[in-house]
Amino acid sequence: RGRLLFGEMRFVEALENLENYRGKRDIAWLKGLTRQCIKDKNAGKMSWKYMLNLIKKLRQTPRDWALRSGTHTHLCMTVTRTYPVEDRLKFAKEMFQTYSVENRFRFDLNRVENSYKLSMRNSKGFRWITPLHNLPLMDLDLAYTGVTDLRPLKNMPLIKLDLENTKVRDISVLKDMPLRNLNLRHSDVSVIKALENSSLERISLSYQWTELAPLATCKKLYYLRIPRDLYSENELKKYGLLDKVDYYD
């Protein structure tokens, strides 16, 4: 409980909870850190840079990996929920740059009216995208990255999403998004039920065999790119998709 409160930046409550802890875990380091955070919060030092450094400090602590890992994840989510958009964007970029395990890193951000386009294409050094949580992105390119979990994208106003050549399998988080353009080519996605009755206009499917029925409910769909010879002509006709098909090898 103290960890969760700390992650929500409710440091006074977190310290009270930690002081009452009677378990076997060594949490003296976390209590000390919480006391410092109380002082710094009262002094108005909780900038996004401060939070970035705090998360770094948690990750570098040699004690209790499970405890510190969960705590810094909660802190990251709190920043993405509560800080101004411009601060959250800077925070996200620094988080990825800091924890990318390879030198190949890309964070190309462009503003489009009240939303943003972000390309992280070919950034291989990460799998998690928690820092993107709650960002007003309309166009996101994660192609050729190590991402596997899309849950941080929940409720994002995405219109275009590129997941080509990723290990993503589950796209259920995309349900009810205003997506128009989705690229799943060379991904591990084989279930697209989340796209039923969506506003999808263009989609490229992976080499994984996929049940096409959900696409029959996408009334605005006009372009479907699929692997050659994976689906029969009768199957495509069954769902009214034959005239929308473009094949790739």
Side-chain angles (χ1 to χ4, degrees):
R1 176 68 176 161
R3 177 188 68 179
L4 297 177
L5 292 168
F6 185 98
E8 293 172 1
M9 296 172 61
R10 295 159 61 185
F11 300 121
V12 172
E13 295 170 73
L15 184 58
E16 291 175 356
N17 187 276
L18 293 170
E19 294 286 11
N20 293 324
Y21 177 71
R22 296 294 179 266
K24 295 181 179 181
R25 272 180 163 169
D26 176 13
I27 60 170
W29 64 273
L30 185 54
K31 288 194 284 188
L33 189 58
T34 305
R35 292 189 187 98
Q36 185 61 51
C37 287
I38 292 172
K39 292 179 183 178
D40 291 342
K41 188 174 183 179
N42 289 337
K45 295 182 179 180
M46 295 281 129
S47 67
W48 70 267
K49 288 185 178 179
Y50 178 97
M51 299 305 295
L52 179 68
N53 289 327
L54 180 57
I55 289 171
K56 287 181 183 178
K57 189 178 294 186
L58 280 166
R59 288 177 65 97
Q60 292 165 0
T61 299
R63 305 180 183 87
D64 204 330
W65 181 88
L67 179 61
R68 62 183 171 85
S69 176
T71 304
H72 80 66
T73 298
H74 285 296
L75 271 178
C76 184
M77 296 288 282
T78 298
V79 173
T80 62
R81 283 198 312 269
T82 61
Y83 280 55
V85 172
E86 293 299 325
D87 286 352
R88 298 196 321 255
L89 291 166
K90 294 173 187 173
F91 173 81
K93 181 177 181 178
E94 290 297 322
M95 282 288 287
F96 285 117
Q97 196 158 23
T98 299
Y99 297 112
S100 178
V101 297
E102 296 184 12
N103 292 326
R104 283 183 293 172
F105 170 76
R106 184 179 181 187
F107 196 93
D108 293 342
L109 185 70
N110 293 287
R111 184 161 187 167
V112 182
E113 297 181 350
N114 295 321
S115 297
Y116 295 85
K117 296 173 62 175
L118 174 62
S119 176
M120 300 185 73
R121 176 177 284 254
N122 289 317
S123 298
K124 296 286 188 180
F126 63 89
R127 293 184 180 180
W128 56 282
I129 53 172
T130 303
L132 299 183
H133 172 68
N134 209 38
L135 290 178
L137 301 178
M138 60 171 286
D139 184 332
L140 179 59
D141 187 351
L142 295 171
Y144 297 88
T145 66
V147 65
T148 57
D149 185 358
L150 298 183
R151 286 177 296 178
L153 304 186
K154 185 175 177 61
N155 298 323
M156 195 173 279
L158 284 173
I159 292 174
K160 183 178 180 181
L161 178 61
D162 196 334
L163 299 172
E164 182 173 351
N165 207 16
T166 64
K167 296 298 182 182
V168 170
R169 290 188 177 185
D170 184 359
I171 62 167
S172 57
V173 72
L174 304 184
K175 183 175 175 58
D176 298 325
M177 275 189 187
L179 274 176
R180 296 178 195 166
N181 192 330
L182 178 61
N183 184 5
L184 302 175
R185 188 178 176 185
H186 301 303
S187 72
D188 287 345
V189 175
S190 61
V191 178
I192 58 172
K193 186 173 176 58
L195 303 178
E196 281 184 340
N197 300 304
S198 71
S199 54
L200 204 63
E201 298 174 0
R202 299 172 60 94
I203 185 171
S204 297
L205 295 181
S206 71
Y207 280 114
Q208 308 280 343
W209 186 88
T210 303
E211 172 57 57
L212 298 177
L215 297 182
T217 67
C218 300
K219 303 305 180 185
K220 296 182 179 181
L221 185 70
Y222 68 86
Y223 181 84
L224 169 63
R225 197 169 192 207
I226 56 175
R228 192 179 305 277
D229 300 327
L230 188 59
Y231 302 93
S232 69
E233 191 171 296
N234 286 338
E235 187 173 10
L236 293 167
K237 284 181 179 178
K238 176 181 177 182
Y239 296 114
L241 299 172
L242 186 59
D243 62 337
K244 303 173 173 62
V245 167
D246 179 26
Y247 294 103
Y248 70 86
D249 294 314

